[in-house]
């Protein structure tokens, strides 16, 4: 057990976090007094059965939900005190990989990736194009850059989603079952890429997964049950 | 298109890409906008024809001031006015000349079997100067008894019949009076009458036995122009009209500059007569149809892309970005739908002119106004559709 890693290089700090869904009689507690620190550049896996609260915790840490009780500090900023503009600014420093990839169906692979860049400003279009093509080639899709998602396989779509999340050099990557649609090799390739980014750019990755094939690549594995952290292992 | 929009917007033209990806939806939207455009154009075309036809009935006249009965809102309705006002007007040094004008309406059974309502201008020989030069020469010939000038564009009068009756100087019968057509003029029918004829005042009295020479329909006045420029002259005429109104002290008459009178006539017929109000309402309905169709399309499009929008929200895109995308779609739909809409409207205009003889024509200013209005209406639809964006919750993506 490694409850609460202490580090000056903390990317995420969660303190006494509770979260509830529903109102009045239908109110149900999803998280109970979560305390957690995530080190910069680390690859952390959140595990646990369905309904254990891991996705709720992920969305709270990713500033996608309102903090009801407790505190979450993301890159040193307390999320519960941020206004809308500050929240948007902090989201721009994050990368998201969704299980359902959520690619824009009418945009090509390259355009989907470009969306991850253009959120930071219009910039130089040629440089953006080059960056998008480079990252697509890193995920093995150099020959598919102009394909619409409808013409890509599930695994290829997921790789585009990974490229979109990483192209803007995010400080933290939040991923929900990023390898679910990928074969073993592709899955390990994606996780290896996240791990490499951690080392090279101090990118922190937090991943919800049930995929046992990638557990050995994690620096840390947190297990949740019934809204509580029941295990926190340093796996590095 | 994509490249052009990328350059214009400085970003990926997501709105256009979304529209062109769902081609059937875009086709439906373009059809909807075009349909709304046609509705608006047709209504505006009829209103325009209505305005033009009102002005056309004044077109032969050259006068500065017109005196009409107080209940005469148009050239052809209302009571007569006493000729005494004409002489009183001439006592003002600013008035240089005056003439009575007689206007009547009657039905004509055309030689080709059609029937037409005809507006009759009764012109006294002394009032020829109050008509445009192209009319003046022809009007002189009306000194011959029972003669008339026929409007060659009279509705129902085909070119063959016109040629036959003019070439053979055939007599026609109006109100049981046989009249000879000595020449033609070109005015055209409007909403009040199918065509026009010009007769002398004496012939007019034969056609309308109850009409008395002492009570013309209107009195036309000309002022001393001096060497004033047009702008100064217009102001001067209005001032003289007011001065004359005070001079006459006639509660049963109204005195206006002719330009003002025409404008009042148009306003009256557009706002007080059912036909004007109905077509004005038609324009509103057309706009409403367009707004509703575009709203439906954009709203469905937003609903179908909520996940993608939520993804962009999670990435840090601001609300202004989404409004930009929807506005981009609205403007594109407006512009693309406008092209077939305006072409179709011009074809309908041509068909309407052919069928009715009404002066329904496309004006460049109308094209720009409708395009601008379409863009505004589509943007309003887009603005309403953005309410659905609130449902795009990035937390639900996980």
């Amino acid at each position: 057990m490694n409850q609460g890693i202490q580090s000056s290089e903390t990317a995420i700090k969660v303190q006494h976090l509770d979260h509830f869904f529903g109102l009045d009689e239908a109110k149900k507690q999803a998280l109970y007094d979560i305390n957690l620190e995530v080190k910069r550049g680390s690859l952390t896996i959140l595990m646990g059965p369905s309904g254990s609260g891991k996705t709720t915790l992920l969305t709270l840490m990713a500033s996608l939900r309102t903090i009801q009780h407790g505190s979450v500090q993301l890159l040193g900023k307390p999320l519960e005190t941020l206004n809308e503009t500050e929240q948007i600014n902090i989201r721009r420093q994050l990368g998201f990989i969704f299980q359902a990839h959520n690619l824009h169906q009418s945009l090509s692979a390259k355009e989907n990736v470009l969306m991850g860049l253009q959120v930071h400003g219009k910039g130089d279009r040629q440089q953006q194009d080059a960056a998008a093509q480079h990252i697509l080639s890193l995920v093995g899709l150099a020959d598919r850059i102009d394909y619409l998602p409808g013409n890509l396989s599930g695994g290829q779509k997921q790789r585009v989603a990974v490229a979109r999340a990483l192209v803007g050099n995010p400080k933290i990557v939040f991923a929900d079952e990023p390898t679910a649609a990928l074969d073993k090799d592709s899955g390990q390739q994606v996780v290896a890429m996240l791990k490499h980014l951690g080392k090279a750019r101090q990118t922190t990755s937090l991943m919800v997964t049930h995929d046992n094939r990638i557990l050995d690549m994690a620096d840390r594995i947190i297990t949740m049950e019934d809204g509580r952290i029941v295990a926190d292992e340093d796996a590095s | 298109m994509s490249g052009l929009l990328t350059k214009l917007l400085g970003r990926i033209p997501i709105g256009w890409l979304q529209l062109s990806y769902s081609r059937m939806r875009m086709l439906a939207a373009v059809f909807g906008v075009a349909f709304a455009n046609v509705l608006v154009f047709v209504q505006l075309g009829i209103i325009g024809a209505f305005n033009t036809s009102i002005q056309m009935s004044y077109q032969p006249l050259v006068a500065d001031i017109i005196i009409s009965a107080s209940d005469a809102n148009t050239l052809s309705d209302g009571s007569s006015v006493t000729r005494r006002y004409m002489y009183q007007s001439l006592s003002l040094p600013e008035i240089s000349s005056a003439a009575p004008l007689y206007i009547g309406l009657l039905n004509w059974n055309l030689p080709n079997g059609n029937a037409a309502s005809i507006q009759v201008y009764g012109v006294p020989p002394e009032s020829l100067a109050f008509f445009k030069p192209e009319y003046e020469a022809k009007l002189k010939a009306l000194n011959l008894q029972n003669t008339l000038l026929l409007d060659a564009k009279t509705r129902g009068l085909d070119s063959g019949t016109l040629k036959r009756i003019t070439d053979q100087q055939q007599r026609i019968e109006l109100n049981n009076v046989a009249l000879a057509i000595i020449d033609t003029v070109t005015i055209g029918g409007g909403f009040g009458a199918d065509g026009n004829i010009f007769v002398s005042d004496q012939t007019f009295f034969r056609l309308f036995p109850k009409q008395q020479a002492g009570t013309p329909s209107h009195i036309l006045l000309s002022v001393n122009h001096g060497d004033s420029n047009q702008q100064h002259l217009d102001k001067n005429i209005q001032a003289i009209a007011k001065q004359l109104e005070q001079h006459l002290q006639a509660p049963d008459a109204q005195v206006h500059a002719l330009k003002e009178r025409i404008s009042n006539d148009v306003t009256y017929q557009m706002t007080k007569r059912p036909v004007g109000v109905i077509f004005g309402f038609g324009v509103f309905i057309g706009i409403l149809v367009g707004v509703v169709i575009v709203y439906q399309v954009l709203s469905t499009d937003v609903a179908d892309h909520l996940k993608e929008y939520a993804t962009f929200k999670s990435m840090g895109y601001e609300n202004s970005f989404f409004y930009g995308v929807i506005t981009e779609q609205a403007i594109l739909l407006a512009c693309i739908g406008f092209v077939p809409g305006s072409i179709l409207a011009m074809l309908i205009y041509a068909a309407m002119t052919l069928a009715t003889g009404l002066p329904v024509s496309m004006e460049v200013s109308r094209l720009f106004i409708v395009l601008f209005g379409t863009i505004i209406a589509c943007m309003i639809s887009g603005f309403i559709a953005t309410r659905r964006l609130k449902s795009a919750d990035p937390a639900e993506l996980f």
Side-chain angles (χ1 to χ4, degrees):
Chain A
M1 292 283 280
N2 189 6
Q3 200 93 29
I5 295 170
Q6 295 298 315
S7 167
S8 58
E9 293 288 304
T10 302
I12 307 167
K13 186 174 182 180
V14 181
Q15 288 178 302
H16 306 296
L17 185 70
D18 295 324
H19 197 76
F20 302 85
F21 288 112
L23 292 168
D24 302 325
E25 286 174 7
K27 192 171 179 180
K28 190 175 180 301
Q29 189 159 3
L31 294 178
Y32 296 86
D33 194 28
I34 303 291
N35 290 283
L36 174 70
E37 278 190 39
V38 179
K39 202 175 151 188
R40 283 185 74 180
S42 64
L43 172 62
T44 303
I45 285 179
L46 271 174
M47 295 192 77
S50 296
S52 59
K54 54 190 187 301
T55 301
T56 305
L57 177 59
L58 189 82
T59 54
L60 282 163
M61 289 190 289
S63 81
L64 299 178
R65 283 189 201 280
T66 308
I67 310 290
Q68 295 170 344
H69 185 259
S71 156
V72 176
Q73 278 191 44
L74 197 64
L75 301 168
K77 300 215 167 126
L79 295 183
E80 59 276 14
T81 63
L82 299 185
N83 61 31
E84 198 179 336
T85 311
E86 290 168 329
Q87 200 173 41
I88 285 168
N89 285 336
I90 209 156
R91 279 183 191 169
R92 289 180 179 173
Q93 300 178 59
L94 311 178
F96 292 95
I97 305 170
F98 306 96
Q99 184 175 5
H101 58 76
N102 296 336
L103 296 180
H104 204 292
Q105 293 301 307
S106 51
L107 303 186
S108 68
K110 188 176 85 178
E111 287 165 338
N112 266 293
V113 174
L114 279 171
M115 291 306 294
L117 275 178
Q118 293 193 350
V119 70
H120 301 290
K122 288 172 182 173
D124 182 281
R125 184 61 199 261
Q126 280 186 329
Q127 281 182 358
Q128 289 182 344
D129 275 359
Q133 285 183 35
H134 175 67
I135 197 147
L136 279 168
S137 63
L138 282 181
V139 294
L141 292 174
D143 57 341
R144 295 284 191 276
I145 57 170
D146 291 322
Y147 278 47
L148 291 175
N151 298 326
L152 296 173
S153 68
Q156 287 171 331
K157 286 178 199 169
Q158 191 61 298
R159 278 186 275 166
V160 175
V162 169
R164 181 180 63 186
L166 301 183
V167 72
N169 290 331
K171 290 186 175 157
I172 305 175
V173 174
F174 292 97
D176 183 26
E177 300 284 5
T179 58
L182 304 177
D183 57 43
K184 188 183 173 190
D185 288 346
S186 301
Q188 285 187 334
Q189 202 180 348
V190 166
V191 180
M193 190 183 282
L194 292 175
K195 197 158 169 84
H196 168 73
L197 284 173
K199 281 188 181 149
R201 298 179 188 163
Q202 286 289 289
T203 304
T204 309
S205 297
L206 209 76
M207 188 187 297
V208 167
T209 187
H210 290 103
D211 189 351
N212 292 327
R213 299 172 301 180
I214 57 168
L215 294 183
D216 57 342
M217 299 173 82
D219 296 320
R220 186 178 174 193
I221 300 170
I222 297 171
T223 308
M224 292 187 72
E225 266 177 36
D226 298 327
R228 293 179 174 87
I229 293 175
V230 294
D232 190 346
E233 300 167 56
D234 188 345
S236 56
Chain B
M1 185 75 169
S2 247
L4 177 71
L5 287 171
T6 304
K7 275 185 187 159
L8 277 175
L9 299 168
R11 61 164 169 80
I12 297 168
I14 296 178
W16 163 248
L17 293 170
Q18 263 174 219
L19 285 174
S20 54
Y21 183 75
S22 310
R23 296 221 170 130
M24 285 312 289
R25 181 180 294 160
M26 182 162 98
L27 203 66
V30 167
F31 177 78
V33 173
F35 177 68
N37 273 169
V38 168
L39 278 181
V40 171
F41 269 127
V42 168
Q43 305 298 326
L44 289 178
I46 295 171
I47 288 173
F50 192 44
N51 282 350
T52 308
S53 68
I54 293 166
Q55 292 176 45
M56 271 187 343
S57 58
Y58 291 91
Q59 177 237 321
L61 306 177
V62 184
D64 295 319
I65 293 172
I66 183 167
I67 301 175
S68 311
S70 55
D71 61 352
N73 296 306
T74 73
L75 197 63
S76 58
D77 73 1
S79 313
S80 301
V81 64
T82 173
R83 195 165 51 178
R84 181 162 45 89
Y85 295 146
M86 185 175 80
Y87 300 120
Q88 283 179 294
S89 303
L90 285 167
S91 70
L92 277 185
E94 289 85 356
I95 305 295
S96 64
S97 57
L101 175 69
Y102 302 91
I103 299 282
L105 270 171
L106 50 75
N107 291 319
W108 175 29
N109 292 318
L110 278 74
N112 60 9
N114 291 334
S117 63
I118 299 292
Q119 179 158 282
V120 185
Y121 292 78
V123 184
E126 68 273 16
S127 68
L128 298 189
F130 285 92
F131 289 84
K132 286 190 175 152
E134 62 265 33
Y135 291 85
E136 200 180 334
K138 293 178 179 178
L139 288 169
K140 273 181 189 164
L142 292 178
N143 281 336
L144 286 171
Q145 242 185 14
N146 294 349
T147 53
L148 65 86
L149 298 178
L150 175 64
D151 183 355
K153 286 176 80 179
T154 297
R155 202 176 294 137
L157 182 64
D158 58 276
S159 54
T161 307
L162 177 68
K163 190 170 184 335
R164 198 174 68 244
I165 58 180
T166 50
D167 283 359
Q168 298 170 3
Q169 292 200 322
Q170 209 171 350
R171 281 182 175 265
I172 61 165
E173 195 176 295
L174 289 170
N175 261 11
N176 298 319
V177 178
L179 300 166
I181 301 165
I182 53 168
D183 209 339
T184 58
V185 289
T186 306
I187 300 175
F191 284 76
D194 297 315
N196 306 276
I197 62 169
F198 290 79
V199 297
S200 69
D201 54 349
Q202 295 309 311
T203 306
F204 188 92
F205 300 143
R206 277 186 206 98
L207 287 170
F208 300 93
K210 287 182 183 170
Q211 178 70 52
Q212 294 180 338
T215 54
S217 309
H218 307 275
I219 294 164
L220 303 174
L221 304 171
S222 187
V223 304
N224 289 313
H225 287 188
D227 53 0
S228 306
N229 62 33
Q230 191 59 45
Q231 200 181 357
H232 187 251
L233 188 64
D234 286 345
K235 277 186 185 171
N236 200 24
I237 289 169
Q238 285 203 333
I240 295 171
K242 278 191 181 160
Q243 189 189 341
L244 182 59
E245 194 165 29
Q246 286 174 347
H247 175 71
L248 293 176
Q249 290 289 316
D252 59 342
Q254 50 179 323
V255 183
H256 293 289
L258 184 63
K259 284 181 183 173
E260 185 190 11
R261 168 72 202 197
I262 295 168
S263 164
N264 289 351
D265 191 341
V266 169
T267 307
Y268 169 77
Q269 299 210 45
M270 279 302 302
T271 57
K272 299 279 166 42
R273 287 210 158 156
V275 66
V277 178
I278 286 168
F279 290 128
F281 193 68
V283 173
F284 172 73
I285 293 294
I287 292 168
L288 198 66
V289 167
V291 168
V292 169
I293 291 173
V294 174
Y295 166 72
Q296 280 298 335
V297 170
L298 292 181
S299 170
T300 311
D301 194 72
V302 171
D304 286 354
H305 291 92
L306 273 183
K307 267 197 162 184
E308 284 98 329
Y309 288 143
T311 306
F312 291 149
K313 268 190 185 178
S314 74
M315 290 160 68
Y317 279 95
E318 294 175 80
N319 283 336
S320 59
F321 167 78
F322 304 107
Y323 298 146
V325 170
I326 294 167
T327 305
E328 174 195 337
Q329 288 184 315
I331 293 174
L332 284 168
L333 285 178
C335 294
I336 298 169
F338 177 79
V339 175
S342 51
I343 292 172
L344 200 58
M346 282 190 259
L347 293 174
I348 292 173
Y349 280 6
M352 282 166 75
T353 305
L354 202 67
T356 64
L358 286 169
V360 192
S361 60
M362 183 63 84
E363 291 162 15
V364 177
S365 59
R366 188 180 301 153
L367 280 170
F368 280 106
I369 289 167
V370 173
L371 174 61
F372 183 69
T374 308
I375 290 172
I376 297 291
C378 287
M379 283 174 72
I380 291 170
S381 305
F383 180 74
I384 302 169
T386 54
R387 288 185 310 170
R388 283 209 168 192
L389 281 173
K390 285 179 186 164
S391 322
D393 182 3
E396 298 302 320
L397 295 170
F398 286 93

